[in-house]
Amino acid sequence: MPASRVINFGPGPSALPQSVLEKATQGLLNFNETGIGIAEISHRSKEFVAFLSNIESLIRTQLDVPSTHSILFTQGGGTGQFSAVVLNLLARHRLLYPELTADERVMDYILTGSWSEKAFQEAGRLGGARVNVALDARKYSKDGVSFDNVPPHGEYAFSPAPAFIYYCENETVDGVQFSADPSAQTSFPFARLPRERSGLLPLVGDHSSSFMSRPIPHLGEHAVIFAGAQKNLGPAGLTVLIVRHDCLVDVDAAAKLGAAPVPLSLSYKTLADSKSLYNTPSMLPIYITGLVLERMQELGGLTYFEALNKKKAEKVYAAIRSGEERGVFQGKVQDGSGSWMNVVFNVLGDGAESRFLTGAEEAGMKGLKGHRSVGGIRVSLYNAITESDTDKLVGYMKNFVSEAGAQAFGVKFSC
């Protein structure tokens, strides 16, 4: 690794594999032997269209996306989808049930962290239906106000027939994630979800910060899954959508029945009909994402990365527990609800957090400061973070704990 490179534990835009970055620099000058750089070539050229099609194939294969779903590429990030989900799925619901009033249409939101809360707020701002909080995890937190847990299955209160049910699989800010163990009470409660008259599940999942880090349970039953690329896949500027075909609706026909008009650039059907080329897409982020996906497949796909990410997270959580025993660290998330992608904790003592961050930077590790809204430390362990990178951080954490303990007893400590 060149001396100028550090280990980037940032939450996003996040680390990318060095081999991908090196290959991407070649593509900036000459994309796939066209003699034109990726930032210059036409998005309708046969070379780019073929590349985009291959990206779709790589995602479909590695995530096992069924033929009942389209894979789409757009802009606006996860935040843009807070609006697009509401507009598209209420248009769909209007076409299915035109007789219902706005108060009879319900959008169910599961609140487990800052991002699901922001999506919930946007749904209320857009209107068009009543918003129901199916679960607010803050009620089950240690202090009654923080997002620090995923409550057990019995605590969810879904509407009988919602237009859609919205959840965020991994909360980047708060370090909370649904368990990967389907038997755990902190896993997602698929068995409790209400279905439509047709038997379909109107489920929407924000997978932005965990997309392509491990398999998605019940993927084929989701109505919509979306993810910003800037965590595990590529640079900011690209959003990946997986949309069930019955959700690719004629938004203009829905508007004639009273639904809110949907901008064409946000319409899922428009994106699908144009094969994600309705307008100029984010060329460079798409290119780098393709390179990342190719590398993932070469390494063994999600089987490889699920095992790796589990191992990395376990090492960091073990170091936190060790620090807790010495009174140096304090975990922020309740047992069973911790994220594999974003591990959060506090460093106890006056000025201790600042010393921890300064020492980490001096050791070549950056991006560890927690989100401004919650503070503390946040370790983002996305796919590009290697086990070796993780081991270096864990070693630093252990040394920090030992040094803090020695200082507490007036012992001079040296690394």
Side-chain angles (χ1 to χ4, degrees):
M1 178 183 292
S4 60
R5 295 285 292 177
V6 300
I7 302 174
N8 176 16
F9 288 103
S14 57
L16 287 166
Q18 186 170 324
S19 61
V20 166
L21 293 174
E22 290 170 350
K23 190 170 183 179
T25 61
Q26 300 170 18
L28 276 170
L29 294 172
N30 184 0
F31 168 64
N32 284 12
E33 304 304 321
T34 60
I36 305 174
I38 183 61
E40 308 163 285
I41 198 167
S42 168
H43 61 291
R44 302 193 188 280
S45 64
K46 66 179 188 294
E47 293 87 357
F48 181 77
V49 171
F51 189 84
L52 190 63
S53 177
N54 185 53
I55 292 178
E56 178 185 343
S57 177
L58 288 167
I59 293 174
R60 190 175 295 278
T61 299
Q62 293 184 46
L63 267 181
D64 195 21
V65 180
S67 59
T68 52
H69 289 63
S70 293
I71 299 173
L72 309 173
F73 305 97
T74 187
Q75 299 161 340
T79 306
Q81 290 307 306
F82 296 169
S83 309
V85 161
V86 172
L87 295 172
N88 281 274
L89 293 193
L90 286 187
R92 172 183 180 270
H93 202 253
R94 176 76 62 165
L95 290 169
L96 289 173
Y97 311 106
E99 74 283 358
L100 297 181
T101 66
D103 192 58
E104 292 172 320
R105 298 183 200 281
V106 186
M107 303 176 283
D108 274 8
Y109 276 76
I110 298 168
L111 307 186
T112 52
S114 300
W115 289 114
S116 51
E117 184 183 23
K118 287 181 183 295
F120 160 76
Q121 291 169 347
E122 177 66 356
R125 193 184 72 82
L126 290 175
R130 183 163 49 88
V131 186
N132 172 57
V133 177
L135 178 89
D136 188 336
R138 287 171 292 196
K139 296 178 181 178
Y140 307 88
S141 65
K142 294 176 182 177
D143 60 9
V145 296
S146 302
F147 288 112
D148 69 0
N149 72 101
V150 174
H153 294 174
E155 301 304 316
Y156 293 77
F158 296 107
S159 303
F164 62 86
I165 304 159
Y166 186 105
Y167 75 101
C168 179
E169 199 275 338
N170 178 72
E171 291 283 0
T172 321
V173 171
D174 307 281
V176 172
Q177 185 174 26
F178 290 95
S179 173
D181 178 2
S183 65
Q185 281 292 301
T186 52
S187 65
F188 193 80
F190 289 101
R192 295 182 59 87
L193 300 178
R195 294 180 179 271
E196 297 176 336
R197 299 172 193 170
S198 62
L200 291 173
L201 196 59
L203 185 60
V204 176
D206 174 359
H207 282 250
S208 289
S209 52
S210 59
F211 192 66
M212 301 303 295
S213 69
R214 66 190 193 190
I216 298 177
H218 298 259
L219 185 152
E221 292 191 88
H222 283 72
V224 179
I225 290 169
F226 68 84
Q230 68 274 15
K231 311 294 185 180
N232 286 303
L233 279 183
L238 172 65
T239 308
V240 181
L241 306 174
I242 301 176
V243 183
R244 201 171 58 210
H245 292 162
D246 63 281
C247 298
L248 305 173
V249 301
D250 186 337
V251 294
D252 290 338
K256 290 177 181 177
L257 294 175
V262 181
L264 286 179
S265 61
L266 297 181
S267 163
Y268 295 155
K269 187 175 188 301
T270 298
L271 286 171
D273 289 347
S274 64
K275 299 186 184 300
S276 299
L277 296 173
Y278 176 73
N279 61 335
T280 307
S282 302
M283 305 288 283
L284 182 58
I286 287 174
Y287 177 58
I288 295 177
T289 293
L291 299 182
V292 169
L293 287 165
E294 289 173 356
R295 175 180 177 271
M296 286 184 65
Q297 182 162 279
E298 291 169 1
L299 289 172
L302 289 188
T303 300
Y304 170 84
F305 280 98
E306 180 179 28
L308 174 63
N309 289 327
K310 184 175 187 289
K311 185 184 297 185
K312 292 185 303 185
E314 286 174 344
K315 288 185 174 185
V316 177
Y317 280 113
I320 293 172
R321 287 193 295 272
S322 178
E324 286 179 322
E325 293 171 359
R326 302 285 294 275
V328 179
F329 297 150
Q330 181 181 58
K332 298 174 71 173
V333 178
Q334 295 182 35
D335 290 345
S337 301
S339 169
W340 287 10
M341 296 283 96
N342 310 101
V343 181
V344 296
F345 62 98
N346 289 322
V347 184
L348 303 179
D350 291 341
E353 180 181 307
S354 178
R355 291 196 301 274
F356 181 91
L357 292 170
T358 299
E361 288 211 16
E362 290 173 351
M365 295 176 286
K366 292 187 176 183
L368 290 165
K369 187 174 179 60
H371 191 271
R372 61 188 180 277
S373 65
V374 294
I377 305 298
R378 172 171 52 176
V379 182
S380 294
L381 299 171
Y382 299 126
N383 286 356
I385 296 295
T386 66
E387 188 172 3
S388 175
D389 295 337
T390 306
D391 288 341
K392 182 174 182 179
L393 173 65
V394 168
Y396 170 73
M397 292 170 68
K398 290 179 178 178
N399 284 339
F400 187 90
V401 169
S402 297
E403 181 177 6
Q407 290 175 346
F409 289 98
V411 178
K412 185 177 180 180
F413 179 85
S414 173
C415 292

